[in-house]
Amino acid sequence: MKKIIITLGILFAAVAISTAQEKGIIADVLRNSIEHKVESMQKLIGFDDEIALELKELELKYLLDVQKAETCFLCNTSRRIKKLQSAREDKLQEILPRDQYIKYHSIENNLLNKDNQLWLR
């Protein structure tokens, strides 16, 4: 009986450690992606470093929350992600001035090319 309990305890600990390491790797990849995205947007749009820092925090929090919602077993994933998207858009509008928000949103959704000209569809 003791052997079974000890074996199950060790197995549980190993699973917990491996999932924690996986989440850390995902967070690092997301963080690097966000840094690259915001830096390229900063070059294109021209917002300052303080706004860039706020955007990095917002984007990282958003992506981590989306990842958490996607892995939730009993959650309504699509409704949760829509709420997260709406909250993100509201925060972006608070952080960025209107013209910079429109450019940010347009570039992100491939409505503008790098020369700030509309794509013809």
Side-chain angles (χ1 to χ4, degrees), residues 24-93:
I25 292 170
I26 292 171
D28 288 341
V29 169
L30 292 176
R31 187 173 293 109
N32 290 337
S33 173
I34 292 301
E35 286 178 5
H36 177 70
K37 175 185 174 183
V38 172
E39 287 171 3
S40 66
M41 290 288 207
Q42 186 176 15
K43 289 178 185 174
L44 291 172
I45 298 172
F47 46 82
D48 62 12
D49 292 337
E50 184 177 317
I51 290 176
L53 184 61
E54 289 181 47
L55 288 175
K56 287 177 186 177
E57 291 172 6
L58 173 68
E59 296 285 359
L60 182 62
K61 183 181 181 313
Y62 168 72
L63 288 179
L64 290 174
D65 288 344
V66 166
Q67 193 265 335
K68 190 185 308 181
E70 288 178 342
T71 58
C72 181
F73 178 67
L74 298 174
C75 301
N76 186 340
T77 304
S78 62
R79 186 173 2 147
R80 178 71 181 139
I81 291 175
K82 285 179 185 177
K83 285 182 183 180
L84 291 170
Q85 288 173 338
S86 176
R88 176 183 169 265
E89 290 297 319
D90 293 341
K91 292 285 186 181
L92 280 173
Q93 291 179 12

Side-chain angles (χ1 to χ4, degrees), residues 102-104 106-107 109-119:
I102 291 171
K103 288 179 183 177
Y104 190 93
S106 298
I107 292 170
N109 294 313
N110 294 323
L111 300 175
L112 287 178
N113 62 13
K114 292 184 180 187
D115 298 324
N116 290 335
Q117 296 182 7
L118 287 173
W119 286 105

